[in-house]
Amino acid sequence: MPKIEVHEDLFNSLLNHTYSDDALEMIFPVAKAELDAHLKDEHLYKIELNDTNRPDLWSAGGVARALNTYETKQLTNYDFFSSKEEGKESGGRELIVHESVKEVRPFSVGFSVTGKVVDENILESLIQTQEKLCNNFGRKRKSIAIGVYRSDLIKFPVHYKGVDPDAYSFVPLGMDESLTLREITKKHPKGIEFGPIVQDSSLFPFLSDDNGDVLSFPPVINSAHIGAVKEGDEHLFFEFSGSGLDDLLLASSIFACDCADLGYTILPVKCILGEKSEYGTSITVPYYFQKEATCPLPFLFKTLGESLNNELVVEALLKMGISSTITNDSVVIKVPPYRNDFLHPVDIVEDVMIGHSLSLFSPELPKDSTVGRLSKAEQLARKVKDICIGMGFQEMMYNYLGSRKEYIDNMHVSGDEYIQIANPMSENYEYVRPSIIPSLLESESMSAHAIYPHHIFEVGKVAYIYEDDNSGTRTRNHLGFFSAAGDMGFNQLNSYISTLFYYLNVEYVMGELVDPRFIAGRCGRLVVDGHEVGIFGEIHPQVLESWNITMPSIACEIDLDNFL
């Protein structure tokens, strides 16, 4: 979960009144937050945010806004947003997206602010919010990168274009020498870290003003001149580049609202996109793009377990910063400009529940008398674990989310049936686990120092696309086991499988298998009553090489739900 650090002077200046630590702990849940620590000697609050769907809360301004609105029941009027119905004057400030950048990183938007001098606390808060949004919401700058610049040094319009990485150069932030864009990806620490996002493209993104002065090389590094924001600056320009326009507009809205709460005047910028989007060929940012959301009252009350009158529903949502109306037996909300997380009516239910306060819902005793017992699936899982431990295997436990590299690239498979998360917070958690074998191989890749042989297993869940299910996916309980040693091969694997099925009292046969994860002719299918229940084999050398595993290895994976 995201964590932020906030200087108490800045945080208290954003709140309507100061809170004691006990009072903060009591009210923080309305912002889905917890007070991790209050370092009084350093005048610092450490706050943990518990909702990865609310990037607007990952800043001092976002948390303070949630607390203020909850207590006052008053919405902040952010009057600088443009929309389809109403455009704001940009004052000649423009950002032009050139056609040359479309294939590498197609979108860029931005806005300016003025009216308040940047001090140490404000600068640290802006940098922290920038990092949280880029790393978590922006998938480590892959889908969102944010640059902050000294706008009094910029001659508008700003140009966002794709350029030859060997022909353009500038002095990057943190250095004294001028480097080409390609050299930055190899020599600058940020270039080494973030350069791979664009380094395979023939053109690199480049941001400059109308004089040709460099702002940055998105998504890698700012220039050491215009991009070096420091204490004492008063006029700032924020730019957001990436692959999805809605995500960029949301990130810009969050930053604009935070800056307004800090006391800045927001100066809209006309962003000329160069191609027609659902919002047109150009938009003035900050831009309100959210749509109304609706929740039927019967669904609301059934999910809450309690009926509320219309006034209480509207009041609860108001405390959460949401204006709403009730018509035709439904509550209709106007989504705040800094939020885009209302994907289902249950999201509205959640805000009503928090706004109304959990303490006001009447507790109820369970109506059914039940006896706790192990499910059949758990009974089987425990039996399988005992058998594996008896054969000398060590039990492991893994995450159910992982990266494309782990589940697809390193396994040399297509991944067509794998479940990919549409908007992951990190590329390390981009896919739902389709097999236990990659998890076992990851453990082995970090265990070369341990004495061989290595025997590990896990009983856990996997998931994959399955169109016949209402959800479009299927989740199953699997056993996966793995062994590695200098003499490990098919014979040892066959003996483990035979022992496992003997103690499960299940008859099985082996069938042919063609699978890129295993060596051809040294792998197979496990079949019970005519149905495939598992696969096994010697791991293919290419797979072992991808995982940096040097010992011969075997693996088996069995769908345990077939035995229930």
Side-chain angles (χ1 to χ4, degrees):
M1 297 296 180
K3 292 185 178 181
I4 61 174
E5 296 182 356
V6 184
H7 195 281
E8 60 183 25
D9 290 344
L10 176 65
F11 193 50
N12 289 333
S13 71
L14 293 168
L15 295 170
N16 290 332
H17 60 84
T18 57
Y19 293 83
S20 66
D21 288 355
D22 290 340
L24 280 178
E25 289 179 354
M26 292 293 293
I27 196 173
F28 263 170
V30 306
K32 299 186 176 182
E34 296 179 22
L35 181 60
D36 195 37
H38 183 189
L39 307 180
K40 296 183 179 180
D41 293 340
E42 302 177 31
H43 306 286
L44 199 67
Y45 289 113
K46 290 190 173 185
I47 304 172
E48 180 172 354
L49 290 315
N50 296 321
D51 194 335
T52 56
N53 294 321
R54 292 284 306 274
D56 62 291
L57 294 175
W58 302 347
S59 65
V63 175
R65 183 187 309 118
L67 302 189
N68 291 338
T69 306
Y70 185 83
E71 287 207 330
T72 64
K73 305 176 191 176
Q74 294 180 356
L75 302 180
T76 303
N77 180 28
Y78 298 110
D79 59 0
F80 44 76
F81 278 90
S82 296
S83 65
K84 283 186 176 181
E85 293 75 25
E86 179 187 8
K88 299 294 182 180
E89 291 295 329
S90 67
R93 294 174 297 274
E94 291 185 350
L95 190 164
I96 302 173
V97 179
H98 292 246
E99 187 67 27
S100 57
V101 81
K102 292 300 181 182
E103 290 188 9
V104 56
R105 200 170 177 85
F107 296 109
S108 175
V109 299
F111 66 89
S112 292
V113 302
T114 189
K116 188 166 184 175
V117 175
V118 174
D119 61 22
E120 180 182 2
N121 292 336
I122 290 177
L123 183 59
E124 289 180 355
S125 180
L126 291 176
I127 292 173
Q128 180 176 237
T129 305
Q130 177 187 23
E131 290 177 347
K132 294 300 179 184
L133 287 177
C134 290
N135 290 339
N136 293 25
F137 185 46
R139 300 169 59 196
K140 295 184 177 179
R141 303 192 188 181
K142 186 176 181 181
S143 58
I144 298 175
I146 303 171
V148 188
Y149 310 93
R150 307 166 74 184
S151 66
D152 51 346
L153 303 180
I154 296 173
K155 177 176 173 54
F156 286 94
V158 170
H159 298 270
Y160 177 65
K161 54 189 177 181
V163 300
D164 182 346
D166 299 308
Y168 283 74
S169 61
F170 66 96
V171 179
L173 194 64
M175 284 190 170
D176 298 324
E177 63 173 319
S178 178
L179 301 174
T180 67
L181 305 191
R182 195 180 303 279
E183 287 174 335
I184 288 175
T185 65
K186 298 177 180 179
K187 296 182 179 181
H188 196 286
K190 294 298 182 182
I192 295 172
E193 183 177 3
F194 300 110
I197 297 174
V198 297
Q199 68 182 10
D200 293 334
S201 302
S202 59
L203 300 178
F204 285 7
F206 190 70
L207 198 69
S208 59
D209 71 359
D210 209 40
N211 286 331
D213 293 331
V214 180
L215 276 69
S216 72
F217 163 25
V220 178
I221 190 67
N222 284 5
S223 73
H225 181 46
I226 297 178
V229 175
K230 58 186 179 182
E231 294 178 40
D233 287 336
E234 184 178 353
H235 313 287
L236 304 178
F237 173 62
F238 294 84
E239 183 269 341
F240 307 76
S241 72
S243 54
L245 185 56
D246 280 1
D247 288 344
L248 297 179
L249 291 176
L250 178 62
S252 65
S253 297
I254 291 170
F255 251 101
C257 293
D258 281 1
C259 288
D261 292 343
L262 286 169
Y264 285 97
T265 299
I266 309 301
L267 306 176
V269 170
K270 184 178 181 180
C271 302
I272 302 172
L273 303 177
E275 66 178 33
K276 188 169 183 178
S277 69
E278 61 177 306
Y279 311 117
T281 57
S282 67
I283 53 177
T284 302
V285 177
Y287 184 83
Y288 182 81
F289 68 96
Q290 288 82 352
K291 299 178 176 62
E292 287 185 343
T294 302
C295 177
L297 290 179
F299 176 82
L300 172 67
F301 299 148
K302 180 180 178 181
T303 308
L304 287 176
E306 188 170 321
S307 295
L308 305 176
N309 61 45
N310 292 354
E311 289 76 14
L312 288 177
V313 172
V314 171
E315 179 183 344
L317 290 170
L318 189 61
K319 292 170 73 174
M320 299 301 291
I322 302 167
S323 63
S324 61
T325 57
I326 296 180
T327 58
N328 299 326
D329 213 23
S330 293
V331 56
V332 181
I333 69 168
K334 181 179 180 182
V335 180
Y338 46 82
R339 292 183 62 174
N340 195 32
D341 57 302
F342 292 97
L343 308 178
H344 186 275
V346 75
D347 297 314
I348 298 177
V349 176
E350 181 184 26
D351 273 41
V352 172
M353 176 189 69
I354 297 173
H356 184 62
S357 179
L358 284 173
S359 62
L360 298 180
F361 288 94
S362 304
E364 292 184 6
L365 290 173
K367 297 177 181 179
D368 299 322
S369 178
T370 59
V371 178
R373 62 173 64 89
L374 295 178
S375 65
K376 291 183 179 180
E378 180 61 24
Q379 290 175 358
L380 175 61
R382 293 192 178 193
K383 183 175 182 178
V384 169
K385 291 178 183 180
D386 288 342
I387 296 171
C388 289
I389 292 170
M391 291 192 295
F393 285 77
Q394 179 178 349
E395 184 179 5
M396 310 293 287
M397 297 180 67
Y398 300 104
N399 291 326
Y400 290 161
L401 298 178
S403 68
R404 177 184 177 86
K405 181 179 180 182
E406 294 168 343
Y407 294 156
I408 298 177
D409 297 343
N410 284 359
M411 301 305 297
H412 297 268
V413 296
S414 67
D416 293 338
E417 296 182 353
Y418 295 177
I419 301 170
Q420 184 178 11
I421 297 171
N423 186 25
M425 291 296 120
S426 165
E427 62 184 7
N428 293 326
Y429 306 106
E430 187 177 3
Y431 281 85
V432 182
R433 182 172 72 169
S435 167
I436 294 178
I437 293 175
S439 301
L440 299 169
L441 288 169
E442 183 178 16
S443 290
E444 177 60 22
S445 69
M446 296 183 287
S447 303
H449 62 280
I451 297 174
Y452 288 93
H454 299 165
H455 303 296
I456 55 177
F457 80 97
E458 186 196 19
V459 175
K461 296 184 183 299
V462 303
Y464 50 88
I465 295 173
Y466 185 74
E467 294 181 356
D468 292 342
D469 191 277
N470 289 334
S471 67
T473 65
R474 171 175 279 187
T475 302
R476 306 283 286 182
N477 293 296
H478 277 207
L479 160 69
F481 65 82
F482 170 93
S483 293
D487 60 349
M488 196 59 64
F490 190 89
N491 290 336
Q492 292 92 331
L493 177 56
N494 188 28
S495 68
Y496 294 140
I497 294 172
S498 178
T499 302
L500 174 65
F501 278 86
Y502 173 80
Y503 285 106
L504 289 176
N505 194 26
V506 175
E507 295 290 336
Y508 72 98
V509 295
M510 294 182 175
E512 294 183 357
L513 175 68
V514 177
D515 191 312
R517 296 174 292 180
F518 303 111
I519 299 174
R522 300 184 188 179
C523 59
R525 300 180 296 115
L526 296 171
V527 181
V528 175
D529 296 331
H531 299 286
E532 181 179 321
V533 299
I535 56 173
F536 65 93
E538 296 184 30
I539 303 296
H540 197 285
Q542 288 184 337
V543 175
L544 295 179
E545 183 178 354
S546 296
W547 286 101
N548 295 319
I549 297 173
T550 58
M551 284 289 180
S553 303
I554 59 173
C556 175
E557 185 161 2
I558 299 172
D559 186 338
L560 297 179
D561 286 350
N562 286 295
F563 303 144
L564 297 177

